[in-house]
Amino acid sequence: MLRWIRQQLGFDPPHQSDTRTVYVANRFPQHDHYIPQKFADNRIISSKYTVWNFIPKNLFEQFRRIANFYFLIIFLVQLMIDTPTSPVTSGLPLFFVITVTAIKQGFEDWLRHKADNEVNGAPVYVVRSGGLVQTRSKNIRVGDIVRVAKDETFPADLVLLSSDRREGTCHVTTASLDGETNLKTHSAVPETAISQSVSSLEAIVAVIECHQPEADLYRFVGRITVNHCEEEIVRPLGPENLLLRGARLKNTKEIFGVAVYTGMETKMALNYKSKSQKRSAVEKSMNTFLMIYLVILLFEAVLSTILKYAWQAEEKWDEPWYNQKTEQERNSSKILKFISDFLAFLVLYNFIIPISLYVTVEMQKFLGSFFIGWDLDLYHEESDQKAQVNTSDLNEELGQVEYVFTDKTGTLTENEMQFRECSINGVKYQEINGKLVPEGMAEDLPDAVDSNLSEEDILFLKAVSLCHTVQISYDQADGLGDRQANGILHQMEYYASSPDEKALVEATKRIGVTFNGNNGETMSITSFGKLEIYKLLHILEFDANRRRMSVILQTPSGEKMLFTKGAESSILPYTKTGEIDKTRMHVDELALKGLRTLVIACRHFTPEEYIEIDRRLHEARTALQQREERLADVFSYIEKDFELLGAVGVEDKLQEKVQETIEALRMAGIKVWVLTGDKHETAVSVSLSCGHFHRTMNILELVQQKSDSECAVQLRRLDKRIKEDHVIQHGLVVDGASLSLALRQHEKLFMDVCRNCSAVLCCRMAPLQKAKVVRLLKTSPEKPITLAIGDGANDVSMIQEAHVGIGIMGKEGRQAVRNSDYAIARFKFLSKLLLVHGHFYYIRIATLVQYFFYKNVCFITPQFLYQFFCLFSQQTLYDSVYLTLYNICFTSLPILVYSLFEQLVHPHVLQNKPALYRDISKNALLSCKPFLYWTLLGFCHAFVFFFGSYLLMGEDTSLMGNGQILKASRQLMFGNWTFGTLVFTIMVITVTLKLALETHFWTWMNHFVTWGSIAFYFIFSLFYGGIIWPFLHTQDMYFVFVQLLSSGSAWFAIILIVITCLFPDVIKSVFYRHLQPTNTQKTQLNRNGIGISCLDSMCCFSDGEKACAPVGRMLDRMIGRCSPTRVGRSWSTSDPYYSNDRSILTLSQVEATPC
């Protein structure tokens, strides 16, 4: 316990060395001075809270929010000093917000606890006490030997000891970790692979030394020392020996492995990612508005305090006859009294800060995010995948995107590779009907063409079919030899980690060189009917720095040789023999056709060379320190002096509607940048074919720059050319090396060039370079909103860096999806996600924020004005119950429903007219002008509420039916609570009807909450004021509301003041729509759109209309409102956007109705 406390406080870190020592089967040394290391247990904890810390931890997190902390201070002030309002008025809304948020977070954490308990309680089998013992997953310890059966997931990170196969191999799939569905082969060291029984496994004496836990799924450095026949044998351990927790065993009956990392130290747990902490532009604007209103609040409180003391300077007002001071009050400190009065006014006006704004925004974002998943237009039937929302905090940011950064392979393209052409020994070939045909020859060739293949051609095909990591899956997990003997090789299926490897192996199979399998020690191929078995000596794995992979084999004749494949820039410079110039030219030609290119080469080793290579590889792979650096040095020593064999070109076809999507984004004012690791020529060709670059666009290049000075000169040249040819559009092509130089010392010049280009293509990009480009633009002076979209692990850094990250559910795993904010199945869905959903989310939440501040200004300003009529005595205008329920009940539901369903125009129109997206760009609806409009409107309406009621009802004595006030003066105003209730009633009706005027898309739910809120207020007030409540200290409101409604003059005042407030808004809307209409308003008024007929105006009328209908129709069109029940959505079947739309956002019935 003491050790755990020290670890939590940071005094005793659990891992004090860079390595850990694991004793297999927990056979610890028997000497006395051995101290076993402490390791984590195997429990997975994804929950945030426990029963004991939920309340304090949750409260701490909630009160870190400024608004919650502010209301807590106000509540404490009300408790400590004599304030005009009850502490309940602040405490109850605060309690409501805190409780709702706590329940939501507690429920989510309970679900996490439930999932954790299922995982931790799963049954597993462990080798203990000479047999297999069933236990729970959470009881596995480091060093335990665990048995895993076919199709089970690994309960911890295990080093493979043995499997049911003699060679000690097994197949696993890591789909739940990185989304890769291909089978990966893992192997055990030979000394433990022979131990396939429980008794022999428990007899193993072995020690594993490895690095401490790290998050990288593809990195594992260790070694195992096995006592075999009284001899210590040291073997290297790498990623191919480690079975990761969460991965699943496939095509293998059972395996045994020793646990090296458990619980929260497994790689899967270390890769747990918390929710995105990105903040939207709307949230930043909301915090700015909050600070402005806080300043207004402080100003009103200070002004009221000063005026109170100015007024009380006269003795008759300082101590009137009806309110004599006590001796203690006369002798109290004036400074303390001033502070006390200031705090009292602060409490009186505190409702100008809307506490319920945050909880309403959270509910709107949470509930609104379901629309994306429910939208059938974002559902991909072929893969049965719908859109995902990983974080709802950024919904409105989808409507503010200015730059889109996209990957190419798998994002713009299908990532389905097909072999097209190849170059062998300087001759170009095409595959026609399963035959290699030299370029230019006709298709109808004799079958004998294959027999003309030279030895160089066949060696090239063998290299392609042997240099890879492709695995073969069978229906039953039998050995390779059995399959061959049974003669049923046709049942095998190739699995590869990359689609191009699979395409190449399948192509060589069609041509005549078939890859039969890899059992870990040998690789078998059938070359034109002849079986050949190669001994697999070493695999030099692919990495992003080398950009190539190699295999070292022993041929059937006993010769040692290396086959390699990779990008032309990583192989051609190291080539000494072969048709280098012709192959380079062919590679460029293939790239211009948009094909992905790979260069194939080989190297022959003498026996002496191979012995030296084998020694160096063994030393590097058994090193515990700096293993990667040592391996890189050895790989560089091996991979040189190549003999060039040729090159291949595979096609990756474009996804559907990519060109239309990019064009729609461009029309919406969004610039698209393509960031890819592909070759320059390939990337340019694909950019032209997908519409990223136009044929008429002037393509500028910043490629193959060698020095800073050369790069600077080229950048200035490009900048000058852009300024001279400012009429035409420009596209920029940059490669990774030149980008590094440009970002080193010339960032500003580079960004100036990029911003003036319509489209930018960055090729040969490393993953971190992609993120750096996004960060560079994101932090530029304009601070544009960026979006990154990709499908692979190499896109994760870019996706995390951008304001909005979108993952494509492609064939390169699910890492991009797991780390994204949103996930879609195809690039074409991006159009609707931004132009429709983004547009709706933004206008909804922008109006929600502005409206909340508006209605609270309307609420508190009469309270401030009333102080001028009560000698700043801090008398409240409203009853405390009304103060409490105004934001919680009376005005909360209409704005919430509005923020979920509002549509300025129909989704089809938004998607068909992308330019409408420009109307809301750059946070247009939350800029200074709309903010001032809503704020001033709130103050104006508040003045009308107060002084309208005062002027109309100030001398009315008919209200007081009991005759208590025979002659009312302007100071008495026919009764304090009656006047306050009248103002409050007018205010509730006005702010609710103001929102109704702002509503363009009416559903039954809008009608229900709008008119229901007004009705609820009246019913509640009658009920509240019609009963004497025994638990209330005073009965100030008893019968007040009933008497108010019994007065005809009160009803006249309510109607007149509401109309006075709202009529100018209607006039303003009419004139603005005719004099300065936005593009959106023009679309609403346009009745002649192609295939849209009446929907652009959003109003349709039946044929039998009344005489006044034309006037009503004109007003409806001017204001831009409609009722869904009157909208006839008659779309032209020739319009591609409309005919296939299945959006759930259409809440009304879709039917064809003529206008």
Side-chain angles (χ1 to χ4, degrees):
M1 184 66 182
L2 182 62
R3 178 183 175 85
W4 180 85
I5 294 174
R6 289 175 59 82
Q7 287 180 6
Q8 300 304 308
L9 295 175
F11 299 127
D12 187 18
H15 307 309
Q16 301 189 1
S17 66
D18 293 333
T19 61
R20 62 168 50 186
T21 303
V22 178
Y23 293 89
V24 177
N26 290 312
R27 290 179 176 275
F28 301 115
Q30 299 303 313
H31 46 75
D32 296 334
H33 59 270
Y34 171 73
I35 301 176
Q37 288 180 277
K38 299 290 185 180
F39 301 116
D41 58 27
N42 201 40
R43 286 181 301 167
I44 288 292
I45 304 173
S46 62
S47 55
K48 193 176 182 180
Y49 306 106
T50 66
V51 174
W52 310 109
N53 71 8
F54 174 73
I55 292 178
K57 190 173 182 179
N58 186 265
L59 288 177
F60 173 76
E61 290 177 350
Q62 291 205 58
F63 284 118
R64 289 170 64 184
R65 178 171 279 172
I66 295 175
N68 290 347
F69 183 72
Y70 161 78
F71 270 89
L72 176 65
I73 296 299
I74 293 294
F75 176 65
L76 294 176
V77 168
Q78 288 178 295
L79 290 176
M80 290 186 292
I81 67 172
D82 183 21
T83 57
T85 57
S86 167
V88 176
T89 58
S90 294
L92 189 61
L94 178 64
F95 176 77
F96 174 76
V97 170
I98 296 296
T99 303
V100 168
T101 307
I103 290 173
K104 172 179 171 287
Q105 294 178 350
F107 176 71
E108 291 174 349
D109 205 62
W110 176 77
L111 293 178
R112 287 191 286 266
H113 271 284
K114 187 177 178 182
D116 289 346
N117 291 335
E118 288 181 6
V119 172
N120 295 330
V124 294
Y125 286 93
V126 179
V127 177
R128 286 178 187 165
S129 304
L132 276 178
V133 178
Q134 183 177 3
T135 184
R136 294 178 181 270
S137 174
K138 64 182 179 181
N139 297 327
I140 295 176
R141 299 170 297 173
V142 170
D144 279 346
I145 298 177
V146 182
R147 172 190 175 272
V148 180
K150 181 181 177 181
D151 292 327
E152 292 181 351
T153 57
F154 301 113
D157 288 352
L158 311 174
V159 167
L160 180 61
L161 294 178
S162 66
S163 71
D164 63 320
R165 299 176 178 177
R166 291 193 312 274
E167 64 273 12
T169 60
C170 69
H171 296 301
V172 304
T173 175
T174 57
S176 61
L177 296 174
D178 56 14
E180 296 181 5
T181 56
N182 58 292
L183 294 181
K184 296 181 175 69
T185 301
H186 290 256
S187 57
V189 298
E191 287 72 24
T192 62
I194 57 176
S195 302
Q196 295 181 317
S197 65
V198 173
S199 57
S200 60
L201 282 166
E202 201 170 37
I204 291 177
V205 179
V207 179
I208 295 175
E209 297 170 272
C210 59
H211 279 181
Q212 295 292 1
E214 57 181 337
D216 191 342
L217 293 174
Y218 309 105
R219 186 173 186 269
F220 177 66
V221 178
R223 65 186 176 201
I224 182 170
T225 304
V226 184
N227 287 336
H228 187 67
C229 299
E230 299 183 359
E231 179 185 0
E232 285 193 352
I233 300 175
V234 179
R235 295 285 186 183
L237 297 176
E240 68 279 1
N241 307 112
L242 186 68
L243 305 172
L244 300 178
R245 176 172 189 149
R248 189 177 295 272
L249 183 66
K250 305 291 285 187
N251 289 7
T252 309
K253 185 178 178 182
E254 66 176 8
I255 64 97
F256 290 92
V258 59
V260 289
Y261 303 133
T262 52
M264 298 308 292
E265 293 181 344
T266 59
K267 291 183 180 289
M268 182 185 75
L270 294 174
N271 274 276
Y272 283 158
K273 184 172 174 58
S274 59
K275 258 194 167 183
S276 173
Q277 298 301 311
K278 299 174 182 177
R279 295 174 61 213
S280 69
V282 170
E283 186 178 349
K284 295 173 185 175
S285 298
M286 194 165 69
N287 290 336
T288 303
F289 296 160
L290 192 68
M291 297 306 297
I292 293 173
Y293 275 88
L294 190 59
V295 171
I296 294 174
L297 168 65
L298 293 174
F299 170 77
E300 289 183 347
V302 170
L303 180 63
S304 298
T305 308
I306 294 173
L307 289 175
K308 175 179 180 178
Y309 283 92
W311 203 305
Q312 291 180 355
E314 297 185 41
E315 187 175 347
K316 65 174 182 177
W317 299 123
D318 182 40
E319 194 173 353
W321 61 269
Y322 55 83
N323 191 17
Q324 295 289 317
K325 293 181 180 179
T326 63
E327 193 65 29
Q328 183 180 359
E329 288 176 333
R330 292 192 184 98
N331 298 330
S332 62
S333 169
K334 291 187 176 181
I335 295 177
L336 291 178
K337 181 62 178 170
F338 184 90
I339 295 174
S340 175
D341 285 331
F342 169 75
L343 292 176
F345 280 117
L346 204 64
V347 169
L348 192 64
Y349 304 146
N350 79 85
F351 284 95
I352 197 172
I353 307 295
I355 186 174
S356 56
L357 171 62
Y358 285 98
V359 72
T360 306
V361 167
E362 279 194 14
M363 290 174 67
Q364 189 270 345
K365 289 184 175 183
F366 175 71
L367 297 174
S369 63
F370 287 103
F371 286 112
I372 292 179
W374 291 339
D375 192 343
L376 293 178
D377 283 340
L378 302 183
Y379 171 72
H380 191 243
E381 293 184 10
E382 293 179 16
S383 58
D384 190 28
Q385 292 170 329
K386 64 179 182 178
Q388 294 179 14
V389 179
N390 296 330
T391 173
S392 60
D393 295 336
L394 303 172
N395 292 343
E396 64 276 9
E397 205 82 329
L398 295 171
Q400 295 295 296
V401 174
E402 297 173 62
Y403 284 85
V404 168
F405 298 91
T406 175
D407 179 40
K408 182 185 75 67
T409 305
T411 305
L412 300 179
T413 61
E414 289 283 4
N415 204 13
E416 288 182 358
M417 307 299 178
Q418 291 182 338
F419 175 81
R420 291 301 182 201
E421 299 181 35
C422 64
S423 171
I424 306 176
N425 200 27
V427 179
K428 282 182 71 175
Y429 291 89
Q430 294 176 321
E431 183 196 0
I432 299 177
N433 297 328
K435 302 180 180 63
L436 277 186
V437 180
E439 188 178 42
M441 296 185 67
E443 288 188 33
D444 50 348
L445 291 171
D447 295 339
V449 69
D450 284 340
S451 62
N452 294 330
L453 293 177
S454 63
E455 290 185 7
E456 291 83 357
D457 298 338
I458 296 175
L459 180 61
F460 172 85
L461 294 174
K462 290 180 180 179
V464 172
S465 62
L466 288 169
C467 184
H468 54 72
T469 56
V470 173
Q471 301 298 326
I472 298 178
S473 175
Y474 299 98
D475 294 335
Q476 297 177 359
D478 292 340
L480 176 63
D482 295 337
R483 281 291 175 180
Q484 292 174 342
N486 294 336
I488 49 175
L489 284 172
H490 62 277
Q491 295 185 6
M492 67 186 181
E493 183 178 356
Y494 292 127
Y495 287 89
S497 57
S498 64
D500 53 355
E501 278 196 339
K502 182 180 178 182
L504 291 175
V505 173
E506 288 176 342
T508 59
K509 180 181 178 182
R510 291 193 301 270
I511 295 167
V513 180
T514 303
F515 172 62
N516 297 328
N518 172 4
N519 64 10
E521 294 182 357
T522 62
M523 299 181 75
S524 169
I525 63 171
T526 302
S527 177
F528 298 101
K530 180 183 177 184
L531 179 66
E532 297 181 9
I533 296 179
Y534 291 77
K535 186 176 181 181
L536 179 59
L537 302 175
H538 294 285
I539 297 178
L540 313 187
E541 297 82 4
F542 175 88
D543 64 63
N545 296 323
R546 288 165 43 243
R547 297 183 64 82
R548 60 180 177 263
M549 69 88 60
S550 305
V551 293
I552 301 177
L553 305 168
Q554 179 177 312
T555 66
S557 61
E559 182 185 10
K560 309 287 195 306
M561 67 185 305
L562 172 142
F563 291 122
T564 187
K565 71 175 179 187
E568 87 291 343
S569 59
S570 63
I571 290 184
L572 291 181
Y574 305 98
T575 303
K576 297 190 72 174
T577 60
E579 297 288 346
I580 299 175
D581 293 334
K582 286 185 179 180
T583 303
R584 181 180 283 114
M585 181 180 67
H586 290 162
V587 167
D588 292 339
E589 291 174 0
L590 295 174
L592 286 173
K593 295 179 181 179
L595 303 181
R596 295 188 68 180
T597 57
L598 290 170
V599 175
I600 313 297
C602 69
R603 181 183 175 187
H604 299 269
F605 297 120
T606 63
E608 294 76 16
E609 286 177 329
Y610 176 73
I611 291 172
E612 175 64 15
I613 287 170
D614 186 59
R615 184 187 65 79
R616 290 194 179 197
L617 279 172
H618 181 75
E619 288 179 356
R621 282 177 167 157
T622 54
L624 278 181
Q625 304 298 329
Q626 298 180 328
R627 179 181 292 185
E628 286 83 359
E629 292 81 357
R630 294 188 184 187
L631 281 174
D633 293 339
V634 177
F635 289 172
S636 299
Y637 172 76
I638 297 172
E639 294 173 325
K640 62 182 181 180
D641 301 333
F642 292 136
E643 174 188 340
L644 183 61
L645 298 178
V648 295
V650 291
E651 181 186 35
D652 189 5
K653 64 180 181 179
L654 286 175
Q655 289 187 16
E656 183 186 5
K657 291 188 178 179
V658 166
Q659 188 166 356
E660 293 89 335
T661 302
I662 291 178
E663 185 59 30
L665 295 177
R666 186 177 285 118
M667 291 175 63
I670 300 172
K671 289 188 176 182
V672 180
W673 288 31
V674 176
L675 312 180
T676 178
D678 272 356
K679 194 175 184 293
H680 171 206
E681 291 82 4
T682 305
V684 171
S685 176
V686 173
S687 284
L688 286 168
S689 62
C690 72
H692 180 236
F693 283 166
H694 289 297
R695 297 289 174 183
T696 56
M697 190 179 284
N698 183 23
I699 307 298
L700 308 175
E701 292 189 350
L702 181 68
V703 295
Q704 297 179 350
Q705 304 299 305
K706 305 297 183 185
S707 64
D708 284 337
S709 57
E710 184 182 346
C711 182
V713 170
Q714 179 66 1
L715 280 171
R716 294 190 188 97
R717 189 182 298 123
L718 295 177
D719 189 43
K720 182 180 178 182
R721 185 172 175 184
I722 290 172
K723 291 176 180 176
E724 290 174 351
D725 301 335
H726 61 276
V727 178
I728 62 174
Q729 289 187 329
H730 299 276
L732 178 66
V733 182
V734 190
D735 64 9
S738 303
L739 181 71
S740 298
L741 294 173
L743 298 183
R744 192 178 301 169
Q745 295 181 354
H746 315 292
E747 275 192 12
K748 187 177 183 303
L749 184 57
F750 174 70
M751 288 308 301
D752 289 341
V753 172
C754 290
R755 279 196 293 267
N756 291 322
C757 291
S758 301
V760 178
L761 169 64
C762 300
C763 55
R764 288 296 189 220
M765 296 280 287
L768 290 179
Q769 281 183 310
K770 293 183 178 183
K772 194 168 184 179
V773 169
V774 175
R775 189 185 311 119
L776 186 66
L777 203 71
K778 179 180 167 184
T779 57
S780 62
E782 293 82 4
K783 297 286 191 296
I785 304 300
T786 58
L787 179 147
I789 179 170
D791 73 317
N794 60 330
D795 302 314
V796 168
S797 55
M798 172 178 75
I799 287 171
Q800 290 178 328
E801 184 63 45
H803 291 96
V804 182
I806 296 184
I808 295 285
M809 304 170 193
K811 298 179 176 62
E812 290 193 16
R814 289 293 185 273
Q815 279 186 296
V817 172
R818 287 192 297 114
N819 289 279
S820 65
D821 304 308
Y822 302 89
I824 52 179
R826 287 294 181 269
F827 182 80
K828 66 178 181 179
F829 296 152
L830 183 64
S831 172
K832 185 163 189 182
L833 190 65
L834 298 186
L835 304 183
V836 178
H837 288 283
H839 192 284
F840 285 156
Y841 285 135
Y842 178 72
I843 61 169
R844 291 166 181 169
I845 201 166
T847 307
L848 182 150
V849 171
Q850 303 275 31
Y851 177 78
F852 248 96
F853 285 110
Y854 153 78
K855 71 186 181 75
N856 277 50
V857 168
C858 291
F859 182 39
I860 286 304
T861 304
Q863 186 92 278
F864 172 69
L865 295 174
Y866 184 61
Q867 298 308 304
F868 288 88
F869 294 86
C870 66
L871 298 183
F872 295 93
S873 62
Q874 299 154 6
Q875 170 64 40
T876 178
L877 178 62
Y878 313 120
D879 182 70
S880 59
V881 172
Y882 286 161
L883 281 171
T884 304
L885 298 182
Y886 176 74
N887 279 316
I888 295 178
C889 297
F890 300 146
T891 61
S892 58
L893 282 180
I895 185 59
L896 178 60
V897 173
Y898 170 95
S899 65
L900 291 175
F901 300 118
E902 174 63 354
Q903 298 179 20
L904 288 181
V905 289
H906 193 271
H908 294 142
V909 182
L910 290 175
Q911 201 164 354
N912 195 36
K913 297 183 178 180
L916 297 179
Y917 192 83
R918 297 171 184 255
D919 281 359
I920 62 169
S921 62
K922 298 187 183 299
N923 207 11
L925 300 185
L926 287 174
S927 60
C928 183
K929 187 176 178 181
F931 170 71
L932 286 176
Y933 164 73
W934 280 96
T935 302
L936 292 176
L937 185 68
F939 281 114
C940 291
H941 283 183
F943 272 80
V944 175
F945 299 157
F946 186 86
F947 289 107
S949 301
Y950 176 61
L951 293 172
L952 290 173
M953 307 296 295
E955 296 190 5
D956 189 337
T957 58
S958 65
L959 287 174
M960 308 306 294
N962 57 13
Q964 289 180 355
I965 299 179
L966 299 176
K967 183 178 180 180
S969 67
R970 290 190 179 275
Q971 283 72 32
L972 294 175
M973 290 184 292
F974 65 84
N976 173 48
W977 299 115
T978 308
F979 177 73
T981 304
L982 176 64
V983 172
F984 192 84
T985 303
I986 294 170
M987 178 174 55
V988 169
I989 296 173
T990 303
V991 298
T992 304
L993 292 181
K994 171 60 181 171
L995 184 63
L997 285 176
E998 294 294 319
T999 303
H1000 296 80
F1001 188 78
W1002 282 91
T1003 67
W1004 67 266
M1005 202 173 294
N1006 291 87
H1007 284 289
F1008 178 77
V1009 298
T1010 300
W1011 316 121
S1013 292
I1014 297 175
F1016 173 76
Y1017 165 70
F1018 277 88
I1019 295 170
F1020 174 84
S1021 296
L1022 288 171
F1023 182 70
Y1024 171 58
I1027 299 175
I1028 296 179
W1029 300 96
F1031 53 83
L1032 295 179
H1033 297 297
T1034 61
Q1035 305 293 330
D1036 296 327
M1037 294 300 295
Y1038 180 67
F1039 231 61
V1040 168
F1041 196 72
V1042 176
Q1043 288 188 342
L1044 181 68
L1045 295 186
S1046 66
S1047 169
S1049 55
W1051 281 105
F1052 174 75
I1054 291 171
I1055 295 171
L1056 183 61
I1057 294 173
V1058 170
I1059 293 176
T1060 303
C1061 287
L1062 298 181
F1063 188 70
D1065 290 344
V1066 177
I1067 299 300
K1068 169 198 168 278
S1069 298
V1070 170
F1071 278 98
Y1072 262 81
R1073 284 178 176 275
H1074 279 270
L1075 298 177
Q1076 293 181 336
T1078 63
N1079 290 330
T1080 303
Q1081 291 167 344
K1082 290 176 184 176
T1083 304
Q1084 291 171 339
L1085 295 173
N1086 177 25
R1087 294 170 60 100
N1088 300 315
I1090 300 175
I1092 301 175
S1093 63
C1094 63
L1095 190 65
D1096 265 354
S1097 67
M1098 294 297 287
C1099 291
C1100 252
F1101 295 84
S1102 60
D1103 294 334
E1105 56 183 25
K1106 298 179 181 179
C1108 61
V1111 178
R1113 182 161 68 246
M1114 181 187 71
L1115 285 174
D1116 273 357
R1117 289 181 59 204
M1118 287 177 176
I1119 303 173
R1121 295 174 49 223
C1122 74
S1123 172
T1125 57
R1126 295 163 66 187
V1127 173
R1129 309 186 188 280
S1130 53
W1131 303 104
S1132 167
T1133 55
S1134 62
D1135 193 317
Y1137 283 104
Y1138 303 155
S1139 58
N1140 296 323
D1141 184 81
R1142 298 164 294 169
S1143 172
I1144 51 82
L1145 296 176
T1146 306
L1147 299 176
S1148 58
Q1149 185 176 0
V1150 178
E1151 57 184 15
T1153 306
C1155 281

